[in-house]
Amino acid sequence: MNIHALEYLEDTYPILKGKVAIRDRDTDVTFSELRRRALCVREMLLSRSIIRNVPVAVYLPKSAQSIICYTGILYTGNFYVPLDAKSPIERMGHILDTVSPEIIITNSKLKTNLLQLGFSEELVVEYESLDFDLEISEEKIDFAESHFIDTDPAYALFTSGSTGKPKGVVVSHRSIIDYIDWARDRFSVDQNHILGNQSPFFFDQSVFDIYLMMSTGATMVIIPEELFIFPVRLLDYLNEVQVNMFFWVPSLLVNIANFNLLEKIEMPYLKKIFFGGEVMSTSHLNYWRKHLPDAMYINMYGPTETTVDSTYYVVEREISDDESVPIGYPCRNTDIIILNEKNQRAAVNENGELCVRGSSLSLGYYNNPQKTAEVFIQNPLNKHYPELIYRTGDIVYLNENDEIIYLCRKDNQIQHMGYRIELGEIEVAVLGLGLFDNACVLYNEVKKEIVLFFSATQKVEVGAIRSQLVQKLPKYMVPSSFIQLDQMPLNPNGKIDRNSLKLKLQQDEVELK
């Protein structure tokens, strides 16, 4: 069994040296070039005499260059921290203050931002200054001989924190290997796959693309970001480069369905469609299934703290528009525990918090032991020896078919008119009406009212919404405030930006939960 994630690359490159590993807007990088350039990055880092298992930040636009840097960092026995090149400087400053990286690899343009934050020239390395003409040995690297172990950290990704300061989730090689081995075997991914990458590299879904590429010899196509704003051009590009598999956030699939593009554009290459990161609208999924009936559709679920995904569901049965798409079953070597309010295992159809047990658990939050201890806790069902589980904060239940059904975030569970309500259940019902392009439900804690934000191509009458919702929901769950938008705001990951919607109401001095 592998102990280091780069053993994937070490096994793949001798067989597929000349095959394209990464394609971005500027260049194609073969597996041989990926390894050679990464080892040149390694030589630069080793010349700095940095010790092992320390963070090295990468502050570059999304490109093959970034992946080359991540790989070079891993070759040294350290872990990489992807920084968002478009992130506000203040937020990036919080991240860098938390990790205090030994080195920051950037380019000459972005270097100015780092100097503004007070980082010294000695700490910053420009990618353009690296020597990629070094002679690199073809000899295979034995990571075991170098005393690497599989619980060494591989990366730290920063997610939004409830305090306003991002949290750095540290993930080990062991967790990556468990996840990638499962995904490769379960979905039969091989060198003939062309992966259409959408996720930013600071978002954990990109781990799926990067390490499946290294593990299988598949080609990873970094789709130009601006294409996601123009769905016709996006689908044309997928056909041009013959993408046959992708893992995207649902909002992008919803957008394509809303424009009815699959009615007009054939997608002969696309065979495996993974989606996750937020709830998938069933009506929009059914649109995709109608127009690409031979494709495989997989709903993936998991927080960053559990190495991309904890559960999955291959959509094989018919699911009605007003029914939730299950998040399914545990991934291999992962155990899902649903705990009720008494910290007992929830019964079938009883709501509870989804908790994860297994090697997928991250190492915790970097330089944040207090927050780590809050959510990585002793398994309350095990009184006999230390065993950590991760409390996701997600409310789910197990149905009669042993399928896990996602409801909402724990902090989106509200008390309204004496009833406990899951806002996610309302969203499923709303999207099942077929009136909207997209929708989001929030709660006005001050006015004690449920607020529905929605986008639609035409004006939708509030009366029509209410009259249909009362057929699906109890009256106390029907929203009392309706706000139509031209389009739903999205965050950099492509998900609905709920914080932006909360701010819209906070401008009217409304406090939302």
Side-chain angles (χ1 to χ4, degrees):
M1 179 180 171
N2 290 352
I3 62 170
H4 194 284
L6 290 190
E7 289 182 82
Y8 290 137
L9 181 58
E10 288 293 303
D11 289 339
T12 298
Y13 97 90
I15 304 169
L16 300 171
K17 287 185 179 182
K19 186 176 186 293
V20 175
I22 310 165
R23 170 172 294 161
D24 65 15
R25 68 168 66 248
D26 298 318
T27 185
D28 287 352
V29 178
T30 65
F31 282 95
S32 180
E33 290 169 334
L34 169 59
R35 181 180 186 271
R36 184 182 62 80
R37 295 183 196 180
L39 288 174
C40 291
V41 174
R42 172 182 182 252
E43 291 303 311
M44 177 276 294
L45 293 171
L46 293 178
S47 71
R48 299 280 185 126
S49 300
I50 60 175
I51 59 175
R52 280 191 183 174
N53 292 332
V54 297
V56 178
V58 178
Y59 183 40
L60 288 169
K62 182 182 176 184
S63 64
Q65 292 181 354
S66 298
I67 299 176
I68 289 167
C69 291
Y70 305 155
T71 309
I73 292 163
L74 292 180
Y75 271 125
T76 67
N78 294 294
F79 63 97
Y80 61 91
V81 183
L83 301 176
D84 179 8
K86 298 179 180 179
S87 181
I89 291 181
E90 181 181 358
R91 185 179 192 276
M92 191 176 64
H94 285 312
I95 293 173
L96 292 173
D97 286 344
T98 299
V99 296
S100 299
E102 294 290 316
I103 300 289
I104 306 173
I105 304 175
T106 187
N107 60 26
S108 55
K109 182 178 179 181
L110 292 171
K111 181 179 178 179
T112 307
N113 292 339
L114 297 173
L115 298 180
Q116 280 183 345
L117 288 169
F119 289 94
S120 67
E121 293 266 3
E122 292 75 21
L123 188 67
V124 180
V125 174
E126 294 181 31
Y127 185 87
E128 302 95 322
S129 70
L130 297 176
D131 184 358
F132 290 113
D133 294 323
L134 296 173
E135 285 192 19
I136 298 298
S137 170
E138 290 282 326
E139 186 176 345
K140 192 173 179 180
I141 294 174
D142 187 333
F143 290 99
E145 278 192 2
S146 301
H147 305 293
F148 292 106
I149 61 174
D150 63 3
T151 52
D152 285 340
Y155 63 78
L157 300 183
F158 276 78
T159 64
S160 297
S162 57
T163 62
K165 291 187 177 181
K167 308 187 300 289
V169 180
V170 184
V171 172
S172 72
H173 289 268
R174 179 186 181 189
S175 297
I176 295 173
I177 292 165
D178 251 16
Y179 175 68
I180 294 299
D181 282 355
W182 164 77
R184 179 196 61 213
D185 297 345
R186 175 63 182 83
F187 302 108
S188 302
V189 185
D190 58 30
Q191 62 180 287
N192 297 312
H193 283 82
I194 300 175
L195 311 176
N197 166 259
Q198 168 260 324
S199 299
F201 295 158
F202 55 84
F203 185 37
D204 64 342
Q205 284 182 199
S206 64
V207 171
F208 179 92
D209 299 325
I210 294 171
Y211 293 99
L212 274 179
M213 171 268 291
M214 292 187 186
S215 170
T216 67
T219 295
M220 175 182 172
V221 177
I222 301 175
I223 299 170
E225 292 175 281
E226 68 272 11
L227 292 185
F228 292 103
I229 306 173
F230 304 101
V232 173
R233 290 172 55 193
L234 172 62
L235 294 186
D236 287 342
Y237 181 79
L238 295 185
N239 281 335
E240 177 187 336
V241 297
Q242 301 184 10
V243 164
N244 51 26
M245 171 177 170
F246 62 61
F247 184 8
W248 290 0
V249 292
S251 296
L252 297 171
L253 303 182
V254 167
N255 197 30
I256 290 167
N258 287 336
F259 282 103
N260 194 23
L261 295 183
L262 299 182
E263 188 76 35
K264 309 161 191 173
I265 303 174
E266 293 186 3
M267 303 298 295
Y269 304 105
L270 194 52
K271 301 301 180 187
K272 295 174 183 176
I273 298 171
F274 295 76
F275 49 90
E278 61 184 345
V279 173
M280 179 68 194
S281 160
T282 310
S283 60
H284 292 95
L285 173 61
N286 285 336
Y287 171 88
W288 276 80
R289 295 185 72 199
K290 174 185 174 183
H291 289 84
L292 295 178
D294 296 329
M296 176 186 282
Y297 296 87
I298 308 98
N299 189 17
M300 307 283 272
Y301 161 85
T304 305
E305 289 84 348
T306 64
T307 315
V308 192
D309 295 302
S310 309
T311 72
Y312 73 104
Y313 185 76
V314 179
V315 183
E316 295 175 319
R317 65 175 175 85
E318 292 302 313
I319 306 176
S320 63
D321 286 355
D322 58 358
E323 183 183 353
S324 295
V325 182
I327 61 173
Y329 314 101
C331 301
R332 187 173 67 194
N333 204 30
T334 295
D335 185 30
I336 299 300
I337 304 170
I338 303 174
L339 294 177
N340 62 22
E341 293 181 340
K342 297 180 180 178
N343 266 349
Q344 298 170 342
R345 193 183 293 274
V348 173
N349 290 322
E350 181 185 7
N351 295 353
E353 182 177 3
L354 188 151
C355 302
V356 183
R357 183 176 74 94
S359 61
S360 66
L361 265 60
S362 79
L363 301 174
Y365 301 117
Y366 197 78
N367 274 345
N368 197 340
Q370 180 178 354
K371 188 63 180 176
T372 299
E374 288 177 12
V375 292
F376 292 89
I377 67 164
Q378 171 66 26
N379 181 0
L381 305 182
N382 179 1
K383 308 294 184 183
H384 310 292
Y385 55 85
E387 180 185 52
L388 290 182
I389 63 171
Y390 172 68
R391 303 196 72 132
T392 65
D394 290 329
I395 303 300
V396 302
Y397 68 90
L398 191 70
N399 68 15
E400 296 88 346
N401 299 320
D402 285 332
E403 298 167 340
I404 302 170
I405 307 297
Y406 176 90
L407 290 173
C408 67
R409 291 288 301 162
K410 193 174 182 178
D411 50 13
N412 281 343
Q413 187 181 70
I414 64 169
Q415 287 280 356
H416 177 62
M417 297 175 63
Y419 297 94
R420 185 182 296 277
I421 298 172
E422 321 288 351
L423 295 180
E425 184 179 350
I426 302 175
E427 289 182 359
V428 170
V430 164
L431 289 167
L433 298 179
L435 298 173
F436 314 116
D437 293 342
N438 217 335
C440 174
V441 178
L442 299 174
Y443 190 60
N444 181 335
E445 190 69 59
V446 173
K447 294 185 177 180
K448 302 298 180 185
E449 64 180 14
I450 298 170
V451 182
L452 169 61
F453 288 90
F454 64 92
S455 60
T457 52
Q458 297 179 340
K459 177 70 175 177
V460 181
E461 294 298 327
V462 170
I465 302 173
R466 282 202 178 102
S467 63
Q468 293 192 49
L469 280 180
V470 294
Q471 306 299 318
K472 294 176 175 289
L473 297 170
K475 287 186 178 180
Y476 62 82
M477 291 179 67
V478 175
S480 52
S481 181
F482 300 81
I483 300 175
Q484 182 166 353
L485 305 172
D486 292 333
Q487 59 184 14
M488 300 297 286
L490 303 179
N491 63 25
N493 298 338
K495 302 180 188 179
I496 293 176
D497 191 344
R498 294 174 184 270
N499 287 332
S500 175
L501 295 177
K502 291 176 183 179
L503 287 174
K504 284 182 182 294
L505 292 184
Q506 286 173 350
Q507 290 171 356
D508 297 325
E509 298 182 351
V510 175
E511 188 175 347
L512 286 180
K513 183 173 181 178

